[in-house]
Amino acid sequence: MIEELADLVGAGGVCVLEGAGMSTGSGIPDYRGPNGSLQRHTPMTYQEFTGSAENRRRYWGRSHVGWEHFRRAQPNDAHRAVAALERAGLLTGVITQNVDGLDLAAGTREVVELHGNLDRVVCLHCGEVTDRAELADRLTAANPGFTARVEEFQALNPDGDADLTDAQLQGFTTVPCRRCGQDALKADVVFFGETVPKDRVARCFALLDSSRSLLVLGSSLAVMSGYRFVLHAAKHDQPVAVVTAGPTRGDEKATVRLDAPLQDVLPDLRQRLGV
């Protein structure tokens, strides 16, 4: 199967769709793998976040700790392989469902961050977008007695927060938007239950339509947010390759299917293609 994958990618014109499996090699867990966070963690929904100041406090306390891990994460061999394939002119671009920014850090230029990026914060009241590192400094200053640290949490989640108990979160306080003063700051990522901006989805479809094939990397395709691109490619007779450890929702649509870790497959593919 690796030979078939090399033939497909070597022909060029490949649109890549990435899932959380791309970043497990960087110490960021996935949602649905063997040790996926959904087995022990239910992500906060957009409705829960916007509906309660207490929920926002809990989210930001957990996310403040998780952010310390995310900001130190580095691209792995899978990210570097994708960047090399792009430099070789074989990719039209990357659609990533991840919010860690590691594709850009690896040097990939054409990246559509379908679900946003944890590096940014947006105010839901006035719309101001600010840097996450700045908010981290403000939260640290506002919570001098907050002692929870990365080493103490039970687990990290792909949405950027850490599993903390109510006792560990006791006393944590949020900070308001610096522009409007409202308690309306949100990580600039798409929460569960939230809709991906239409212009971003349109950009993804345009990228796919300009491509010869679709390569899915590290995604179970369990949610329609990513699976729709597989359906679109199959409908338009574009070959679909899926490289993910474990079963995926798109297996029946795949022209090429490899059930294997990306950390093994992508460096091998890179070597076979001489990039």
Side-chain angles (χ1 to χ4, degrees):
M1 280 297 183
I2 186 66
E3 294 83 2
E4 294 179 38
L5 179 65
D7 288 342
L8 183 145
V9 176
V14 180
C15 175
V16 172
L17 172 65
E18 295 180 352
M22 275 292 293
S23 296
T24 54
S26 297
I28 298 173
D30 59 12
Y31 281 111
R32 296 175 175 83
N35 298 308
S37 70
L38 287 184
Q39 298 183 36
R40 54 173 168 73
H41 164 74
T42 301
M44 183 173 292
T45 68
Y46 180 75
Q47 291 73 24
E48 289 171 335
F49 181 84
T50 57
S52 165
E54 173 60 17
N55 283 343
R56 290 191 291 277
R57 186 190 73 83
R58 290 182 63 253
Y59 171 85
W60 279 118
R62 293 161 59 105
S63 188
H64 184 53
V65 174
W67 166 246
E68 292 300 322
H69 181 92
F70 261 70
R71 74 194 304 181
R72 293 198 300 265
Q74 296 295 316
N76 60 56
D77 287 344
H79 296 112
R80 287 188 283 270
V82 169
L85 292 172
E86 185 191 54
R87 287 195 300 273
L90 298 175
L91 307 184
T92 57
V94 173
I95 302 168
T96 182
Q97 299 173 84
N98 301 331
V99 296
D100 50 44
L102 292 179
D103 284 290
L104 293 170
T108 304
R109 298 182 298 275
E110 183 62 36
V111 180
V112 182
E113 295 176 314
L114 186 64
H115 295 155
N117 192 313
L118 283 170
D119 283 346
R120 301 184 298 268
V121 178
V122 62
C123 177
L124 297 178
H125 185 261
C126 71
E128 182 179 40
V129 177
T130 54
D131 188 79
R132 177 63 180 270
E134 176 187 335
L135 177 63
D137 290 342
R138 294 180 63 204
L139 287 172
T140 297
N143 294 277
F146 187 59
T147 59
R149 294 292 182 267
V150 169
E151 294 79 13
E152 299 175 11
F153 64 73
Q154 298 172 9
L156 184 73
N157 301 304
D159 51 1
D161 73 358
D163 287 342
L164 297 176
T165 66
D166 288 342
Q168 288 173 302
L169 287 169
Q170 188 172 5
F172 185 86
T173 61
T174 59
V175 295
C177 173
R178 300 187 80 160
R179 174 193 283 177
C180 69
Q182 297 295 309
D183 173 28
L185 294 180
K186 171 183 167 292
D188 194 15
V189 299
V190 177
F191 278 44
F192 280 75
E194 186 178 4
T195 303
V196 179
K198 291 182 179 180
D199 59 339
R200 197 178 301 166
V201 175
R203 183 182 170 196
C204 292
F205 278 121
L207 181 63
L208 181 55
D209 287 339
S210 69
S211 305
R212 181 180 292 115
S213 60
L214 176 65
L215 172 59
V216 180
L217 299 176
S219 175
S220 66
L221 301 169
V223 296
M224 186 56 71
S225 182
Y227 184 52
R228 58 183 154 186
F229 300 115
V230 172
L231 294 177
H232 185 84
K235 179 180 179 181
H236 292 85
D237 297 320
Q238 292 170 289
V240 176
V242 178
V243 184
T244 298
T248 85
R249 190 179 180 184
D251 287 351
E252 292 184 359
K253 304 291 184 183
T255 308
V256 178
R257 174 70 173 103
L258 274 75
D259 184 345
L262 295 177
Q263 301 300 312
D264 297 335
V265 174
L266 291 183
D268 186 4
L269 176 64
R270 181 179 180 180
Q271 183 175 23
R272 287 172 181 268
L273 295 175
V275 300

